[in-house]
Amino acid sequence: RVEACGKLTTPLVAVLADGDLVTVVLHREYDHPVRSGDKYTSTWFYLWRVVDGKLDEHWAPATIAAP
């Protein structure tokens, strides 16, 4: 258990909750896997199901795979 995580460095876009589901939406920038020197942005999310006040299940997206 961590009592404090320190300063958050990734900008939050939104935090949403509905029933036992909580979603955190973040802005992310990545190096493009095909176009060298280019970047692409993505709206990244983490979705958790909360049970008895604890994170029980987790879902997250994926990035563009290199060829």
Side-chain angles (χ1 to χ4, degrees), residues 46 50 53:
Y46 294 97
V50 181

Side-chain angles (χ1 to χ4, degrees), residues 27-40:
H27 172 266
R28 302 289 296 263
E29 185 175 84
Y30 298 96
D31 293 328
H32 198 286
V34 176
R35 296 190 302 261
S36 181
D38 282 356
K39 302 254 184 208
Y40 74 97

